Every structure is written in C-alpha cells, then in structure tokens.
Amino acid sequence: MKVCGSDDVGMVFFHPEYDRTSMAGLLPVMAPASGHLPSEPFMKSYLIREWTSIHGEQRADERDATIGRQVHAANFARKSPVPMINILRGKHVRAAEEKSLKQRIYTRNAIRLEEAGVETLSAILRGIRENPSGRE
C-alpha cells in the first residue's frame, strides 16, 4: 500500500475478540491474509512441521491434541484490550514477508501462548479491559 508517496506500509489488525475461525469465508483459506493470522490449515501445517522436527512421527495423538490447543491459543497473538491497527514501515513489511521467518514467528508464538494457557491469557486481557490504568 502506498501512503502519500512513501514506501509501502503494512497493517496488522488487533481486536479484543479476535478469532480467525469467526472470519471463515472472509479470509483466504489457503494463503495468509495481510494483517491477519494464517488460517487454521496453515497454522496446523506449521506446527506439525515443528512437532515432527522435535519428536518425529511418533505420538500422533499427543501431537494432534497439543497442536489443537496451540492453534486456539494463537488467536491471542492478535487480541488486544481495544481494537487497533499497527501500521508498519515498508522495510519492516518486507522483512516480515520472508516466508520462513513468518512461519517461525507464528509457530513460536503459538507454542508460547499455549504454554501460557488460554485461561490465563483470557484473565489478563479481561483484567486490562476492566481496569485499563492498572490502578486499584
């Protein structure tokens, strides 16, 4: 996107209720949409690749359950106390568009968010919305 003749800019979208499954039909299924998390099939393929590189093909039941939790937790990478758009400079957009870097970031974030726990993340987000200043 060109803005006032400047280099390209990119936008990343955040929302308190961000959930990529609720956007089914609005976002491409087989390709990541700019500013949004990859679709569930993409996230699953990234996470399966990561799991296989660590554990091999074994423990498929555990793999599927873990990856299901990670895909769900990954939504928190785009949740925020209030709706907002992050505008990125052209050089940052180009760096972020490098495919293997994107996959590593999405995978790392999904794993870390699942480890933190959806319940914990939900409570933190709810607390920020209810008390934005953090003052008692």
Side-chain angles (χ1 to χ4, degrees), residues 30-49:
M30 297 314 294
S34 179
H36 290 282
L37 290 173
S39 66
E40 286 194 25
F42 267 79
M43 282 300 297
K44 285 180 182 176
S45 71
Y46 298 165
L47 292 162
I48 287 170
R49 230 175 285 135

Side-chain angles (χ1 to χ4, degrees), residues 30-99:
M30 297 314 294
S34 179
H36 290 282
L37 290 173
S39 66
E40 286 194 25
F42 267 79
M43 282 300 297
K44 285 180 182 176
S45 71
Y46 298 165
L47 292 162
I48 287 170
R49 230 175 285 135
E50 178 71 12
W51 177 277
T52 304
S53 74
I54 296 168
H55 304 288
E57 294 293 333
Q58 301 171 358
R59 302 171 24 201
D61 289 344
E62 182 183 349
R63 177 198 71 198
D64 294 344
T66 301
I67 288 173
R69 289 191 306 272
Q70 291 169 341
V71 167
H72 178 64
N75 281 315
F76 280 89
R78 291 292 191 272
K79 290 190 185 236
S80 64
V82 297
M84 84 181 149
I85 298 173
N86 185 4
I87 299 175
L88 304 171
R89 293 181 179 159
K91 65 181 180 179
H92 298 122
V93 171
R94 287 185 289 284
E97 287 175 344
E98 197 262 302
K99 186 178 178 182

Side-chain angles (χ1 to χ4, degrees), residues 4 70 73 106:
C4 300
Q70 291 169 341
Y106 288 136

